[in-house]
Amino acid sequence: MTTDPLVIFTPSGKRGRFPVGTPVLTAARQLGVDLDSVCGGRGICSKCQITPAYGDFPKHGVQVAEDALSGWNAVEERYDSKRGLKTGRRLGCQATVQRDVVIDVPPESQVHRQVVRKAAAARTLQMDPATRLYYVEVDQPDMHEPTGDLERVARALRAQWGIEEISTEFSTLAGLQPILRKGDWRITVALHKSDNSAIPRLVAAWPGLHEAGIYGLAIDLGSTTIAAHLTDLDTGAVMASSGIMNPQIRFGEDLMSRVSYAMMNPGGATEMTRAVREALDTLTIEIAAEAGIDAGLILETVFVCNPVMHHLLLGIDPVELGQAPFALATSDAVTLSARELGLTALPGAAQIYVLPCIAGHVGADAAAVALSEQPGKSEDLVLVVDVGTNAEILLGDTTRVLACSSPTGPAFEGAQISSGQRAAPGAIEAIRIDPVTKEPRFRVIGCDLWSDQDGFWQEVAQTGITGICGSGIIEAVAELRIAGLMDPSGLIGSAAQTGTDRCEADGRTHAYLIHDGSAEGGPRITVTQGDIRAIQLAKSALYAGARLLMDERGVDRVDRVVLAGAFGAHISALHAMVLGMIPDVALDKVSSAGNAAGTGARIALCSLAARREIERMVHRITKVETAIEPRFQEHFVAANAIPHATDPFPELASQVSLPVVSFNTGSGGGEGGRRRRRRG
Ligand code: FES
């Protein structure tokens, strides 16, 4: 008696015996191997590519002969001559099993492929897209057996893909008939599942085999900026990233002023909703153009945002978020269509997913950071801070995760800073001040050289030196402290006190001159006393939030710190600690995660499993409400000093000596030349 050939798939290791002549795609399906197909085995989509391996495989206990699969057939021949197949590749729907065989499924052919993230700690994200394409051949209408076109599409999906039932977006139904006729009854449909057990929803259709791909937007909707990543829903690749300012700024810089605007002005919330939706339409059109794709192919969008933005996006009055007990209209994830959300640049049937919120002040952006950084899986105690207009702060390890949100204001993003600007070419992003000469040198975005290096001025001639961005202002304030030009209370000394003319009088206070471009018609870039105050308020709020979580957890130290946020990648750990933004920790224990909220959005965009994971995770996070916690105020006041009034910073002290200076005159104390130095 002959036994059927053995088929072994790698990397899954799944194996089974199949009769001679079974297509590889059929064997894969029966074994539950993750092998993609859009055309259902008709040899036209090329998604099912596999690589047979030949030779001896003692590990699997098989020998694979050259004729283990059927010969190259006419369909593969045609595909190869038109599009080209990589050497060694076969189409899984065409090659049939003849003898024992080992078959590798390359990552591009897996629906649930792993995508390596470009984060500091390279982690992978597994594709598990909510929207997938299916090619079907649909029966033509027959007068003797009257059925609707949609019903025949559903019948074809049942017969050809085993999909029992579908629902339909009305806007898709309206366009279905001409598509069927144009495609000569062969069409590709996009089906969206909000959940693996949900009935798929028909959200788009194209005549014939649709090969232009489908896309998704991962949007981090911040109070100050809106950042979007346009992502290929098949491969997970980011096609373009773009950002714009949130136009709601004109209604109030921070969240609470926007809530007040809604409270004071009838129709104010609606006005802000309209403004943000219009901006999202503009951003969608721009990013699609940048990537060179049709915005009509963007079938999914995931939003992460703070609770106030969440409500204003969804058209819900945020008034309840302005007062205790800070009740959210809903804390669960929200799924709806672009048409329901009033976004017009996306197809009406495009599906929107808004991540769940953690609490009234701790939003979907913090949930996205948790999804991206996974503090609950950390063996050591990690503090994750996502720095923006509001700081999302998470503290946790495998035993417990706590979260809060702290109102830092927009200073860390360069707003409310006299020479502040967003991170763009020409902005100072790094600065050092010589502790002896008190002279600055700096680097601007768009040029790798420092200002004291040869060629710097030629290179920046194009952009000029235009201002200071978020990371630049943090470094500038910290450097003023290290160089002894600013005292621990945040006062900038006078020229007489500091011995440098760069400390110039500015009304009743002093400012430090970084760069004077006035001779060439450019700006004079200074750090003023007002700038320092704005940074002090921001950093105190951040530190106080972190301390509150540490109190709640009963600890005085954390093991490591992850800095996230739009400019998290650019903040120097040393400068952040001199400023007292973050608790004292060894410098090599501070890492950057880039835009963690945006990454969380991208993970949720590419994976249904990740959406379920974060929906479960938010219920297990302990929320700490900064707004009503009296200790927050105490921590805030103590954190005003630079780096801190009372908390010791021993790790920082081992790295840098901060001069003991005081510029609080009256008695003229601390004038230049009388500075003592101490460690820490
Ligand atoms: S499944 Fe489409 S080409 Fe094989």
Side-chain angles (χ1 to χ4, degrees), residues 55-329:
D56 212 358
F57 294 90
K59 190 171 111 191
H60 300 306
V62 290
Q63 274 193 329
V64 183
E66 290 292 328
D67 57 355
L69 292 182
S70 58
W72 196 247
N73 76 5
V75 174
E76 289 172 299
E77 209 68 79
R78 196 185 58 220
Y79 189 86
D80 188 37
S81 65
K82 281 197 177 155
R83 305 280 177 82
L85 264 178
K86 276 194 198 158
T87 318
R89 290 277 175 88
R90 300 288 306 269
L91 294 182
C93 61
Q94 301 301 314
T96 61
V97 176
Q98 303 296 320
R99 302 170 66 166
D100 290 354
V101 65
V102 174
I103 289 171
D104 185 55
V105 181
E108 316 89 272
S109 303
Q110 299 168 11
V111 180
H112 300 94
R113 79 194 67 171
Q114 306 240 306
V115 181
V116 177
R117 289 171 41 197
K118 283 195 225 125
R123 265 163 290 169
T124 54
L125 94 91
Q126 186 164 44
M127 294 301 290
D128 180 19
T131 305
R132 291 198 53 197
L133 298 179
Y134 300 86
Y135 173 85
V136 279
E137 293 179 357
V138 181
D139 291 338
Q140 298 196 23
D142 178 349
M143 272 206 302
H144 303 296
E145 191 215 332
T147 45
D149 284 351
L150 176 64
E151 288 68 33
R152 267 174 284 105
V153 170
R155 198 162 75 194
L157 282 164
R158 202 175 307 125
Q160 294 163 37
W161 289 96
I163 294 167
E164 286 304 320
E165 202 181 340
I166 57 164
S167 64
T168 311
E169 274 290 323
F170 181 73
S171 53
T172 321
L173 173 64
L176 192 61
Q177 292 202 306
I179 291 169
L180 277 164
R181 281 146 187 90
K182 189 166 175 209
D184 197 19
W185 305 95
R186 296 184 179 89
I187 62 170
T188 306
V189 295
L191 298 185
H192 172 272
K193 287 193 295 187
S194 58
D195 186 311
N196 269 322
S197 57
I199 294 173
R201 199 165 182 75
L202 176 58
V203 291
W206 300 268
L209 178 70
H210 173 71
E211 296 186 277
I214 52 173
Y215 301 89
L217 282 174
I219 299 185
D220 179 5
L221 176 54
S223 335
T224 309
T225 54
I226 309 174
H229 299 296
L230 180 68
T231 307
D232 184 322
L233 288 181
D234 184 32
T235 64
V238 176
M239 313 294 295
S241 297
S242 187
I244 51 172
M245 297 305 279
N246 186 335
Q248 291 179 341
I249 289 175
R250 68 174 183 268
F251 303 103
E253 288 259 347
D254 58 38
L255 294 175
M256 281 310 127
S257 50
R258 280 180 222 170
V259 174
S260 321
Y261 184 85
M263 288 163 115
M264 316 287 289
N265 300 280
T270 316
E271 216 181 323
M272 286 188 278
T273 296
R274 193 182 318 119
V276 75
R277 289 179 179 174
E278 277 172 14
L280 288 166
D281 283 336
T282 307
L283 180 61
T284 303
I285 292 164
E286 280 178 11
I287 199 168
E290 194 185 324
I293 66 143
D294 173 2
L297 299 177
I298 302 176
L299 296 185
E300 286 204 58
T301 298
V302 165
F303 283 99
V304 303
C305 40
N306 60 57
V308 173
M309 289 313 307
H310 174 276
H311 280 42
L312 288 173
L313 169 71
L314 292 173
I316 301 168
D317 193 323
V319 58
E320 292 302 327
L321 299 173
Q323 59 209 13
F326 312 110
L328 289 155

Side-chain angles (χ1 to χ4, degrees), residues 425-449:
I428 294 176
E429 60 169 345
I431 176 166
R432 298 289 177 273
I433 300 174
D434 188 307
V436 178
T437 65
K438 317 296 183 198
E439 284 299 295
R441 61 193 180 94
F442 51 82
R443 234 181 32 217
V444 300
I445 295 177
C447 174
D448 289 334
L449 299 172

Side-chain angles (χ1 to χ4, degrees), residues 325-661:
F326 312 110
L328 289 155
T330 175
S331 56
D332 285 347
V334 178
T335 303
L336 72 173
S337 70
R339 189 173 23 81
E340 288 171 292
L341 195 57
L343 297 179
T344 55
L346 293 169
Q351 298 293 298
I352 311 289
Y353 177 79
V354 187
L355 263 74
C357 291
I358 297 177
H361 272 169
V362 190
D365 44 2
V369 173
L371 182 60
S372 161
E373 298 312 308
Q374 299 279 353
K377 290 188 181 154
S378 174
E379 291 296 332
D380 52 6
L381 188 62
V382 59
L383 178 76
V384 184
V385 294
D386 185 343
V387 190
T389 308
N390 249 33
E392 314 315 321
I393 310 171
L394 296 149
L395 175 71
D397 58 16
T398 48
T399 57
R400 194 174 165 215
V401 177
L402 302 118
C404 73
S405 176
S406 199
T408 45
F412 285 151
E413 295 178 289
Q416 288 177 353
I417 298 294
S418 60
S419 296
Q421 69 156 91
R422 68 189 183 87
I428 294 176
E429 60 169 345
I431 176 166
R432 298 289 177 273
I433 300 174
D434 188 307
V436 178
T437 65
K438 317 296 183 198
E439 284 299 295
R441 61 193 180 94
F442 51 82
R443 234 181 32 217
V444 300
I445 295 177
C447 174
D448 289 334
L449 299 172
W450 285 87
S451 58
D452 58 349
Q453 286 179 303
D454 286 346
F456 172 84
W457 295 102
Q458 290 91 308
E459 276 207 25
V460 299
Q462 197 77 40
T463 57
I465 315 275
T466 48
I468 314 180
C469 69
S471 59
I473 190 71
I474 287 173
E475 289 204 359
V477 178
E479 284 286 321
L480 287 173
R481 178 76 184 87
I482 296 170
L485 300 171
M486 179 191 78
D487 69 15
S489 76
L491 274 179
I492 301 177
S494 65
Q497 287 169 320
T498 59
T500 172
D501 288 344
R502 286 192 177 267
C503 287
E504 51 190 36
D506 181 20
R508 296 175 56 187
T509 59
H510 298 99
Y512 177 79
L513 176 67
I514 297 177
H515 172 68
D516 187 356
S518 52
E520 303 89 48
R524 286 184 102 249
I525 298 173
T526 58
V527 180
T528 66
Q529 195 59 61
D531 297 341
I532 306 250
R533 290 288 172 242
I535 288 292
Q536 275 178 298
L537 292 179
K539 78 101 180 177
S540 305
L542 181 55
Y543 189 86
R547 273 305 318 191
L548 208 54
L549 296 188
M550 289 161 73
D551 286 356
E552 199 70 26
R553 180 68 194 250
V555 295
D556 275 328
R557 292 186 54 78
V558 298
D559 296 322
R560 60 191 177 93
V561 175
V562 176
L563 288 173
F567 63 91
H570 307 290
I571 304 178
S572 129
L574 176 74
H575 291 90
M577 213 178 298
V578 168
L579 203 57
M581 277 173 76
I582 51 175
D584 188 61
V585 65
L587 284 184
D588 62 356
K589 293 288 183 187
V590 183
S591 59
S592 296
N595 183 359
T599 304
R602 200 156 75 71
I603 294 172
L605 177 65
C606 294
S607 168
L608 270 177
R611 294 182 194 179
R612 300 298 89 84
E613 183 187 358
I614 190 58
E615 287 162 12
R616 281 192 305 273
M617 209 191 289
V618 290
H619 294 296
R620 294 199 305 265
I621 295 177
T622 310
K623 303 93 190 160
V624 175
E625 184 53 72
T626 53
I628 51 165
E629 180 54 67
R631 276 171 309 159
F632 181 81
Q633 204 50 36
E634 288 167 31
H635 285 314
F636 181 84
V637 172
N640 223 263
I642 298 173
H644 196 274
T646 48
D647 286 357
F649 275 65
E651 295 282 358
L652 175 64
S654 71
Q655 299 294 322
V656 63
S657 295
L658 297 179
V660 178
V661 287

Side-chain angles (χ1 to χ4, degrees), residues 25 36-49 91-94:
L25 179 63
D36 201 0
S37 160
V38 167
C39 74
R42 292 180 179 82
I44 51 175
C45 73
S46 84
K47 295 284 185 188
C48 62
Q49 293 184 30
L91 294 182
C93 61
Q94 301 301 314

